[in-house]
Amino acid sequence: SQTIHQWPATLVQPVGSPLSLECTVEGTSNPNLYWYRQAAGRGLQLLFYSVGIGQISSEVPQNLSASRPQDRQFILSSKKLLLSDSGFYLCAWSQGWNTEAFFGQGTRLTVV
Amino acid sequence: TQLLKQSPQFLSIQEGENLTVYCNSSSVFSSLQWYRQEPGEGPVLLVTVVTGGEVKKLKRLTFQFGDARKDSSLHITAAQPGDTGLYLCAGGESAGYALNFGKGTSLLVTP
């Protein structure tokens, strides 16, 4: 069966510090991978998605970047965090377009 | 990027009541999905609708896809406290587009 792992679960970082959130998927190959951000229990904002190794599409210009060094690994990064980067970050995968998205448990990031 | 509007944003009802939440867009979707999310967790898929006019039932939940595939509704009969959560709709326009989510309806069912 397929599983998705996302870590860490919670993170408190000072303004200006770097960020690295990691997500890995098991039990499937060549998935579509996504990073979403959710503010205060509201809707999901799509940040990045990837259809293959090294391929990244950015939906929103911002202080963040993403990378996909391996087929089932997706990394969200920042060189210098801003207060506005605080939020709940969710990694997800799907097998193709417009199909069910499976989400990780999320990372609660607080920038102080 | 499609814009999905969900209404109402918040809903607080008592156990046993019925409710309907809506998801609307000006775009046509190839499919539309409903998710439920509990605090501190990722969303979990409830249903996918793909055909205009389609109605799907999941126990006390009834999902309907509009004939023009631009809107959808979720009706809950005899709500229970366990139905509490954030209900999100998500749509995909066609292949090559990532799922976009609405802002959700936050439902609270009190005993």
Side-chain angles (χ1 to χ4, degrees):
Chain A
S1 62
Q2 302 91 355
T3 55
I4 179 169
H5 302 281
Q6 183 182 345
W7 68 92
T10 59
L11 192 60
V12 180
Q13 291 285 95
V15 170
S17 64
L19 173 73
S20 180
L21 301 181
E22 190 161 344
C23 173
T24 59
V25 181
E26 297 177 358
T28 186
S29 60
N30 197 32
N32 287 1
L33 296 173
Y34 311 88
W35 279 110
Y36 289 90
R37 178 168 60 197
Q38 186 175 35
R42 300 303 294 153
L44 279 63
Q45 178 188 31
L46 179 63
L47 302 177
F48 302 95
Y49 66 93
S50 171
V51 298
I53 296 174
Q55 188 280 330
I56 305 294
S57 294
S58 175
E59 287 291 305
V60 182
Q62 56 202 332
N63 188 40
L64 302 169
S65 62
S67 62
R68 185 172 178 172
Q70 299 181 40
D71 182 44
R72 290 168 289 180
Q73 183 184 27
F74 207 23
I75 298 172
L76 182 69
S77 303
S78 174
K79 292 182 178 179
K80 290 184 178 182
L81 285 168
L82 306 172
L83 287 173
S84 57
D85 291 323
S86 293
F88 190 51
Y89 289 82
L90 287 158
C91 179
W93 74 272
S94 68
Q95 199 65 60
W97 300 107
N98 302 327
T99 59
E100 178 178 5
F102 298 89
F103 287 83
Q105 288 295 301
T107 297
R108 173 73 58 193
L109 172 66
T110 303
V111 182
V112 297
Chain B
T1 303
Q2 313 115 351
L3 182 63
L4 290 100
K5 295 183 179 180
Q6 290 191 244
S7 60
Q9 291 186 28
F10 302 97
L11 191 55
S12 181
I13 61 172
Q14 290 190 322
E15 184 176 2
E17 293 184 17
N18 302 331
L19 66 115
T20 303
V21 298
Y22 301 92
C23 176
N24 296 283
S25 175
S26 58
S27 299
V28 175
F29 296 107
S30 60
S31 67
L32 193 142
Q33 300 171 8
W34 285 93
Y35 292 78
R36 179 169 167 269
Q37 183 182 22
E38 298 198 18
E41 298 183 6
V44 176
L45 181 74
L46 295 173
V47 76
T48 299
V49 286
V50 296
T51 306
E54 181 177 5
V55 177
K56 282 191 173 180
K57 292 190 176 183
L58 186 65
K59 296 184 180 179
R60 293 177 293 100
L61 278 62
T62 302
F63 304 86
Q64 186 164 7
F65 202 14
D67 292 340
R69 307 207 316 275
K70 292 184 178 182
D71 56 86
S72 181
S73 63
L74 159 60
H75 182 80
I76 301 179
T77 303
Q80 299 177 0
D83 296 326
T84 293
L86 181 67
Y87 289 82
L88 296 156
C89 66
E93 186 173 324
S94 62
Y97 287 85
L99 278 178
N100 279 285
F101 284 77
K103 292 185 176 181
T105 293
S106 182
L107 173 65
L108 173 64
V109 182
T110 54

mmCIF file of all heavy atoms in Angstrom, chain B residues 42-59:
data_model
loop_
_atom_site.group_PDB
_atom_site.id
_atom_site.type_symbol
_atom_site.label_atom_id
_atom_site.label_comp_id
_atom_site.label_asym_id
_atom_site.label_seq_id
_atom_site.Cartn_x
_atom_site.Cartn_y
_atom_site.Cartn_z
ATOM 1 N N GLY B 42 -4.136 16.051 7.574
ATOM 2 C CA GLY B 42 -4.362 16.327 6.166
ATOM 3 C C GLY B 42 -5.770 15.972 5.752
ATOM 4 O O GLY B 42 -6.435 15.164 6.391
ATOM 5 N N PRO B 43 -6.268 16.578 4.673
ATOM 6 C CA PRO B 43 -7.615 16.252 4.174
ATOM 7 C C PRO B 43 -7.697 14.808 3.707
ATOM 8 O O PRO B 43 -6.721 14.235 3.230
ATOM 9 C CB PRO B 43 -7.799 17.216 2.994
ATOM 10 C CG PRO B 43 -6.788 18.295 3.208
ATOM 11 C CD PRO B 43 -5.633 17.643 3.881
ATOM 12 N N VAL B 44 -8.893 14.247 3.820
ATOM 13 C CA VAL B 44 -9.149 12.880 3.374
ATOM 14 C C VAL B 44 -10.312 12.913 2.396
ATOM 15 O O VAL B 44 -11.333 13.548 2.659
ATOM 16 C CB VAL B 44 -9.480 11.956 4.563
ATOM 17 C CG1 VAL B 44 -9.831 10.560 4.066
ATOM 18 C CG2 VAL B 44 -8.306 11.884 5.527
ATOM 19 N N LEU B 45 -10.149 12.218 1.282
ATOM 20 C CA LEU B 45 -11.167 12.230 0.238
ATOM 21 C C LEU B 45 -12.460 11.574 0.704
ATOM 22 O O LEU B 45 -12.454 10.492 1.286
ATOM 23 C CB LEU B 45 -10.656 11.504 -1.003
ATOM 24 C CG LEU B 45 -11.630 11.466 -2.189
ATOM 25 C CD1 LEU B 45 -11.696 12.845 -2.844
ATOM 26 C CD2 LEU B 45 -11.215 10.412 -3.213
ATOM 27 N N LEU B 46 -13.596 12.249 0.413
ATOM 28 C CA LEU B 46 -14.915 11.666 0.656
ATOM 29 C C LEU B 46 -15.485 11.063 -0.624
ATOM 30 O O LEU B 46 -15.977 9.940 -0.630
ATOM 31 C CB LEU B 46 -15.876 12.732 1.184
ATOM 32 C CG LEU B 46 -15.547 13.324 2.562
ATOM 33 C CD1 LEU B 46 -16.486 14.483 2.862
ATOM 34 C CD2 LEU B 46 -15.641 12.262 3.636
ATOM 35 N N VAL B 47 -15.422 11.851 -1.718
ATOM 36 C CA VAL B 47 -16.039 11.390 -2.961
ATOM 37 C C VAL B 47 -15.464 12.157 -4.142
ATOM 38 O O VAL B 47 -14.955 13.271 -3.984
ATOM 39 C CB VAL B 47 -17.576 11.613 -2.909
ATOM 40 C CG1 VAL B 47 -17.926 13.067 -3.117
ATOM 41 C CG2 VAL B 47 -18.311 10.735 -3.900
ATOM 42 N N THR B 48 -15.532 11.542 -5.309
ATOM 43 C CA THR B 48 -15.207 12.199 -6.567
ATOM 44 C C THR B 48 -16.422 12.105 -7.482
ATOM 45 O O THR B 48 -17.008 11.031 -7.628
ATOM 46 C CB THR B 48 -14.008 11.526 -7.261
ATOM 47 O OG1 THR B 48 -12.863 11.627 -6.417
ATOM 48 C CG2 THR B 48 -13.705 12.207 -8.585
ATOM 49 N N VAL B 49 -16.814 13.225 -8.075
ATOM 50 C CA VAL B 49 -17.906 13.221 -9.042
ATOM 51 C C VAL B 49 -17.343 13.656 -10.393
ATOM 52 O O VAL B 49 -16.500 14.545 -10.453
ATOM 53 C CB VAL B 49 -19.073 14.135 -8.625
ATOM 54 C CG1 VAL B 49 -19.846 13.488 -7.484
ATOM 55 C CG2 VAL B 49 -18.588 15.507 -8.200
ATOM 56 N N VAL B 50 -17.807 12.995 -11.448
ATOM 57 C CA VAL B 50 -17.225 13.249 -12.768
ATOM 58 C C VAL B 50 -18.272 13.545 -13.841
ATOM 59 O O VAL B 50 -17.945 14.154 -14.866
ATOM 60 C CB VAL B 50 -16.356 12.064 -13.232
ATOM 61 C CG1 VAL B 50 -15.168 11.887 -12.315
ATOM 62 C CG2 VAL B 50 -17.165 10.788 -13.307
ATOM 63 N N THR B 51 -19.504 13.147 -13.641
ATOM 64 C CA THR B 51 -20.534 13.303 -14.668
ATOM 65 C C THR B 51 -21.522 14.381 -14.265
ATOM 66 O O THR B 51 -22.015 14.384 -13.133
ATOM 67 C CB THR B 51 -21.280 11.979 -14.884
ATOM 68 O OG1 THR B 51 -20.339 10.945 -15.164
ATOM 69 C CG2 THR B 51 -22.271 12.093 -16.028
ATOM 70 N N GLY B 52 -21.844 15.297 -15.191
ATOM 71 C CA GLY B 52 -22.820 16.334 -14.901
ATOM 72 C C GLY B 52 -24.143 15.735 -14.464
ATOM 73 O O GLY B 52 -24.635 14.809 -15.097
ATOM 74 N N GLY B 53 -24.693 16.252 -13.350
ATOM 75 C CA GLY B 53 -25.948 15.726 -12.821
ATOM 76 C C GLY B 53 -25.792 14.536 -11.901
ATOM 77 O O GLY B 53 -26.781 14.051 -11.334
ATOM 78 N N GLU B 54 -24.591 14.086 -11.749
ATOM 79 C CA GLU B 54 -24.341 12.891 -10.940
ATOM 80 C C GLU B 54 -24.670 13.126 -9.472
ATOM 81 O O GLU B 54 -24.417 14.195 -8.932
ATOM 82 C CB GLU B 54 -22.864 12.493 -11.077
ATOM 83 C CG GLU B 54 -22.457 11.248 -10.322
ATOM 84 C CD GLU B 54 -21.004 10.887 -10.563
ATOM 85 O OE1 GLU B 54 -20.297 11.655 -11.241
ATOM 86 O OE2 GLU B 54 -20.572 9.831 -10.060
ATOM 87 N N VAL B 55 -25.256 12.121 -8.838
ATOM 88 C CA VAL B 55 -25.544 12.138 -7.405
ATOM 89 C C VAL B 55 -24.902 10.904 -6.779
ATOM 90 O O VAL B 55 -25.090 9.790 -7.263
ATOM 91 C CB VAL B 55 -27.064 12.133 -7.120
ATOM 92 C CG1 VAL B 55 -27.317 12.075 -5.611
ATOM 93 C CG2 VAL B 55 -27.722 13.364 -7.720
ATOM 94 N N LYS B 56 -24.134 11.140 -5.733
ATOM 95 C CA LYS B 56 -23.527 10.021 -5.015
ATOM 96 C C LYS B 56 -23.897 10.114 -3.546
ATOM 97 O O LYS B 56 -23.948 11.208 -2.989
ATOM 98 C CB LYS B 56 -21.999 10.040 -5.163
ATOM 99 C CG LYS B 56 -21.505 9.508 -6.495
ATOM 100 C CD LYS B 56 -19.996 9.312 -6.469
ATOM 101 C CE LYS B 56 -19.526 8.621 -7.739
ATOM 102 N NZ LYS B 56 -18.042 8.423 -7.747
ATOM 103 N N LYS B 57 -24.138 8.948 -2.943
ATOM 104 C CA LYS B 57 -24.482 8.914 -1.531
ATOM 105 C C LYS B 57 -23.445 8.109 -0.759
ATOM 106 O O LYS B 57 -23.004 7.043 -1.198
ATOM 107 C CB LYS B 57 -25.875 8.318 -1.341
ATOM 108 C CG LYS B 57 -26.990 9.190 -1.865
ATOM 109 C CD LYS B 57 -28.364 8.696 -1.442
ATOM 110 C CE LYS B 57 -29.448 9.662 -1.902
ATOM 111 N NZ LYS B 57 -30.794 9.244 -1.456
ATOM 112 N N LEU B 58 -23.088 8.664 0.396
ATOM 113 C CA LEU B 58 -22.146 8.017 1.300
ATOM 114 C C LEU B 58 -22.773 8.086 2.674
ATOM 115 O O LEU B 58 -22.630 9.062 3.395
ATOM 116 C CB LEU B 58 -20.797 8.744 1.264
ATOM 117 C CG LEU B 58 -19.642 8.134 2.047
ATOM 118 C CD1 LEU B 58 -19.251 6.803 1.462
ATOM 119 C CD2 LEU B 58 -18.453 9.095 2.027
ATOM 120 N N LYS B 59 -23.525 7.046 3.018
ATOM 121 C CA LYS B 59 -24.285 6.986 4.283
ATOM 122 C C LYS B 59 -25.200 8.200 4.376
ATOM 123 O O LYS B 59 -26.122 8.343 3.590
ATOM 124 C CB LYS B 59 -23.331 6.892 5.472
ATOM 125 C CG LYS B 59 -22.500 5.608 5.469
ATOM 126 C CD LYS B 59 -21.629 5.495 6.698
ATOM 127 C CE LYS B 59 -20.824 4.207 6.662
ATOM 128 N NZ LYS B 59 -19.928 4.067 7.849
#
